[in-house]
Amino acid sequence: MGNVLPFKKIRASERHKGNTLCRNGHHKWTLDQSQVFDVKLGRLVSRYRCNRCGIVRNRAE
């Protein structure tokens, strides 16, 4: 006998959990210490990553 998979409809709140704020421009930025030197610019940069959606933003120091 095979495994029975539960097919349940995903609610809208579960599908968009944590993304509505980012879509409206309210990201939750944290400092990412993995890369602090930009080779193309040749200077130090601060790299920020959003905790909710994962996009990256660079700020020159």
Side-chain angles (χ1 to χ4, degrees):
M1 196 162 182
N3 295 335
V4 178
L5 300 174
F7 292 105
K8 105 177 173 182
K9 189 174 184 179
I10 298 173
R11 296 188 326 218
S13 63
E14 293 174 356
R15 186 179 321 124
H16 301 295
K17 186 175 183 179
N19 290 332
T20 54
L21 287 172
C22 290
R23 274 189 274 140
N24 292 323
H26 301 286
H27 295 280
K28 188 175 183 181
W29 298 111
T30 56
L31 191 60
D32 187 14
Q33 292 289 337
S34 64
Q35 180 183 4
V36 294
F37 189 77
D38 189 12
V39 178
K40 288 186 179 180
L41 293 176
R43 59 183 170 192
L44 293 174
V45 294
S46 295
R47 184 175 183 185
Y48 295 94
R49 181 177 297 274
C50 179
N51 282 344
R52 293 187 196 108
C53 62
I55 65 170
V56 177
R57 171 174 79 176
N58 292 329
R59 291 271 172 108
E61 294 291 320

